[in-house]
Amino acid sequence: QVQLVESGGGLVQAGGSLRLSCTASGRTVSSYAMGWFRQAPGKEREFVAAIDWSGSRTYYADSVKGRFTISRDNAKNTVYLQMNSLKPEDTAVYYCAAGSTAWDPKRYDYWGQGIQVTVSS
């Protein structure tokens, strides 16, 4: 079993930056692809970014491409999401997930509890 815990969320002004971390426990996730999703109130959970097990391949939603960067440190069992040039429409609960690089959340095996990111205008 894998437990995922997100950290680093909070309130930031538009144009600012945040870095989310997702730390795994229970077992190593170094062999897992990992992803970040987000869900705004009244909306479906949407894909944000994903990274393969080695960190050599990354994938992004068009809405965050060029602003967000996903990375991982397998020695620390941690995945990061660096978010720059934040916009109010980035406001959502952000979730870390393990098991795939797919856009479909059903393809993932494990999920964190989520962390709030609020971008003020």
Side-chain angles (χ1 to χ4, degrees), residues 12-25:
V12 65
Q13 288 189 333
S17 298
L18 283 175
R19 188 176 81 155
L20 303 183
S21 299
C22 171
T23 301
S25 62

Side-chain angles (χ1 to χ4, degrees), residues 34-76:
M34 303 287 293
W36 286 95
F37 287 74
R38 66 187 182 187
Q39 189 166 17
K43 295 188 176 181
E44 292 187 354
R45 192 167 298 190
E46 66 171 356
F47 173 83
V48 175
I51 188 167
D52 74 351
W53 70 272
S54 69
S56 62
R57 291 181 182 265
T58 57
Y59 308 86
Y60 296 95
D62 287 343
S63 59
V64 307
K65 203 170 292 184
R67 300 188 298 122
F68 291 11
T69 302
I70 188 171
S71 62
R72 67 189 300 161
D73 185 339
N74 285 341
K76 295 182 178 180

Side-chain angles (χ1 to χ4, degrees), residues 10-16 18 86-91 117-121:
L11 174 64
V12 65
Q13 288 189 333
L18 283 175
L86 283 160
K87 305 175 181 179
E89 51 263 44
D90 294 318
T91 295
V117 171
T118 303
V119 184
S120 63
S121 57

